[in-house]
Amino acid sequence: MKRSERLVDMTKYLMERPHTLISLPFFAKRYDAAKSSISEDLAILKHTLAANQDGILETIAGAAGGVRYIPYLGQGHAEKYLTDLASRIEDPSRILPGNFVYLSDVLSSTQDLRLIGSLIATRYAYSHIDAVMTVETKGIPLAEAVARYLNVPFVTARKRSKVTEGATVSVNYISSSLERVSKMELPTRALAKGSNVLIIDDFMKGGGTITGMEQLVREFEGTVAGITVLCEADFDKEKLVDDYISLVKINQIDAGKSLIVAEPGNFLTRTDFSRF
Amino acid sequence: MKRSERLVDMTKYLMERPHTLISLPFFAKRYDAAKSSISEDLAILKHTLAANQDGILETIAGAAGGVRYIPYLGQGHAEKYLTDLASRIEDPSRILPGNFVYLSDVLSSTQDLRLIGSLIATRYAYSHIDAVMTVETKGIPLAEAVARYLNVPFVTARKRSKVTEGATVSVNYISSSLERVSKMELPTRALAKGSNVLIIDDFMKGGGTITGMEQLVREFEGTVAGITVLCEADFDKEKLVDDYISLVKINQIDAGKSLIVAEPGNFLTRTDFSRF
């Protein structure tokens, strides 16, 4: 196989398997090529991704070595996308009764999910995440997108028990927007004990739902690697969660004036792009 | 930029934008290269994807022309994956009370979702799908995966009204496994009138839930382009839906004997791989 053909296949192969170590002999065998040729191919791939700031090809030396594709979006891409997203969220037709914000279009756009998933996966690329957790329903596509780029499973806590998931562990939490005690649960076999878990949700007001997921992680003897939400509504009451990252921050919603004000969240300042 | 670098970037760019027409002048400008060089690059890409049976690069001639990347998995890939999936589903520890089957591990594995999404997107590659529809909760990752490879939005019908989605349209349907009348709804702004909709779900017993989604499509004056489920349980009562496709067919579940028997579903016979 020619270099040009190898490069097409290699790019596709690696993109489909993020964060997975692929050995040089594997590629040498796949393409019936010398290891030295494969090394040159990979150097081209690495250099091209780095030049575009939209991916990292990590080389691991030694007998157990190989290459690993790490989904990544550089600071320029992040600023551009989040500025654009915040301005799209400033559309007053998104305001719903109770100062909720309609975001289902963003959460069901596969191109938005690609960028959001890549950004969050950039932030946690080296955090050794074992699983991504969310709670039904609207967090699910977000969690899937992040899990895809980290190439780990995602688990979905449910607010109601279902007969199709077997035994579950449940926790109670204060749902701050509704000011009542709620319950969420996770099937016992969904998450391995001691996992390092990234918590993802679509919208955070008081943070009550997040505290429920933190509790679930503790019940599974795991650790919380991080908490990231698509949107936080900052004008609201004090948060029950301190250490979280938001992609977009909504500063004001005034249904009467048809006004919604948003800006990129703390994601940009809380991500160290320079370490890549 | 050299050909080798262009091929890496082009492969990535096209894979991230399935079913999207990209003009030759766009690439010529992006790489500061002659259109004839770009044409040669694309011929290499097309040829490599075709040789691997894992993607189609469609060329559209003329002034409004360009290329379009169509996610596709050939018959050999489909047979291999579905045979493997069916045998993984034959694990008796998946049997839950009430003859339900634990599938959450498959539905939360991003590598399974990649293959399942690509297969279903292969089947409907030329069906002019406008949107993928599912109902909460477990169908969501499936619908997202399919929508991603078709590059269309997906919409999620909900069984309970939520304050964060605004006005909704609701329908009633007979939930056959529970033998009662249930309700599902979709936000009015989630789906454009007259859309051609692909209905996706994780598990079909009687098919009642699917009839609910068919009704929703009609309420939005749309057409049902197809119905595809990950698993059908064939041993169960007569189906309320005739024309559907399943990836895996479960023929027998016997909790007492710890037995579950599965095989690839009618997907393989109902997909015309030869037209690609």
Side-chain angles (χ1 to χ4, degrees), chain A residues 176-197:
Chain A
S176 41
S177 50
L178 301 170
E179 297 201 341
R180 67 164 184 229
V181 177
S182 302
K183 182 174 158 171
M184 67 168 75
E185 50 192 40
L186 194 64
T188 50
R189 58 175 124 177
L191 184 64
K193 294 273 174 202
S195 295
N196 194 32
V197 179

Side-chain angles (χ1 to χ4, degrees), chain A residues 70-115:
Chain A
I70 301 187
Y72 160 78
L73 281 179
Q75 188 161 8
H77 294 294
E79 283 169 0
K80 183 163 176 280
Y81 176 68
L82 293 181
T83 305
D84 171 65
L85 181 61
S87 93
R88 281 158 57 204
I89 287 175
E90 285 183 327
D91 174 353
S93 73
R94 294 186 177 277
I95 304 173
L96 296 171
N99 280 351
F100 285 98
V101 180
Y102 185 83
L103 292 173
S104 301
D105 58 326
V106 175
L107 294 169
S108 61
S109 152
T110 57
Q111 289 298 330
D112 279 302
L113 290 171
R114 173 172 72 80
L115 292 160

Side-chain angles (χ1 to χ4, degrees), chain B residues 1-275:
Chain B
M1 203 186 256
K2 288 184 203 155
R3 161 148 299 150
S4 54
E5 294 165 352
R6 289 199 305 263
L7 282 170
V8 169
D9 186 72
M10 227 176 232
T11 304
K12 186 167 189 288
Y13 191 91
L14 287 163
M15 278 181 70
E16 288 175 345
R17 292 160 186 83
H19 285 273
T20 306
L21 187 68
I22 314 287
S23 72
L24 258 60
F26 171 84
F27 280 133
K29 195 177 165 210
R30 184 175 174 93
Y31 306 125
D32 193 15
K35 271 205 257 179
S36 57
S37 306
I38 300 294
S39 287
E40 287 166 30
D41 297 345
L42 292 168
I44 294 167
L45 227 157
K46 182 174 191 158
H47 158 80
T48 307
L49 293 172
N52 291 340
Q53 289 278 292
D54 69 349
I56 293 167
L57 194 72
E58 207 176 62
T59 315
I60 290 106
V67 290
R68 201 193 316 259
Y69 167 63
I70 301 188
Y72 160 77
L73 281 179
Q75 190 163 8
H77 294 294
E79 284 170 0
K80 182 163 175 282
Y81 176 69
L82 293 181
T83 305
D84 171 65
L85 182 61
S87 93
R88 281 158 56 204
I89 288 175
E90 286 184 325
D91 175 353
S93 73
R94 294 185 178 278
I95 304 173
L96 296 171
N99 281 351
F100 285 98
V101 180
Y102 186 84
L103 292 173
S104 301
D105 58 327
V106 174
L107 295 168
S108 62
S109 151
T110 57
Q111 288 299 330
D112 279 303
L113 290 171
R114 172 171 73 80
L115 291 160
I116 294 168
S118 303
L119 285 176
I120 301 177
T122 297
R123 172 68 182 75
Y124 296 99
Y126 293 103
S127 300
H128 306 286
I129 307 294
D130 294 313
V132 174
M133 180 187 283
T134 193
V135 65
E136 62 180 351
T137 300
K138 287 193 290 178
I140 301 174
L142 274 183
E144 181 187 1
V146 176
R148 187 193 333 149
Y149 290 106
L150 290 174
N151 206 5
V152 297
F154 62 96
V155 297
T156 307
R158 303 190 65 156
K159 291 170 188 159
R160 282 157 294 266
S161 189
K162 290 290 289 184
V163 292
T164 56
E165 303 195 299
T168 62
V169 171
S170 79
V171 297
N172 297 311
Y173 65 99
I174 307 274
S175 168
S176 42
S177 50
L178 302 171
E179 298 201 339
R180 64 165 187 229
V181 177
S182 301
K183 182 175 160 173
M184 67 168 74
E185 51 192 40
L186 194 64
T188 50
R189 59 174 122 177
L191 184 64
K193 293 273 176 201
S195 294
N196 192 33
V197 178
L198 172 58
I199 292 176
I200 296 287
D201 210 356
D202 59 321
F203 200 80
M204 182 164 95
K205 294 184 96 174
T209 312
I210 301 281
T211 65
M213 287 192 268
E214 289 180 308
Q215 275 190 69
L216 268 181
V217 172
R218 283 196 294 274
E219 288 299 323
F220 282 81
E221 298 164 26
T223 48
V224 175
I227 297 165
T228 295
V229 298
L230 176 59
C231 271
E232 63 168 312
D234 195 48
F235 53 87
D236 212 35
K237 69 196 78 159
E238 212 181 321
K239 303 280 187 284
L240 296 169
V241 180
D242 287 325
D243 193 22
Y244 62 90
I245 285 174
S246 66
L247 270 64
V248 172
K249 184 171 154 188
I250 297 175
N251 291 311
Q252 198 188 341
I253 301 179
D254 188 327
K257 292 186 189 150
S258 272
L259 182 72
I260 171 167
V261 180
E263 61 178 338
N266 66 357
F267 177 87
L268 291 174
T269 52
R270 293 285 304 277
T271 301
D272 181 5
F273 292 97
S274 68
R275 61 189 291 242

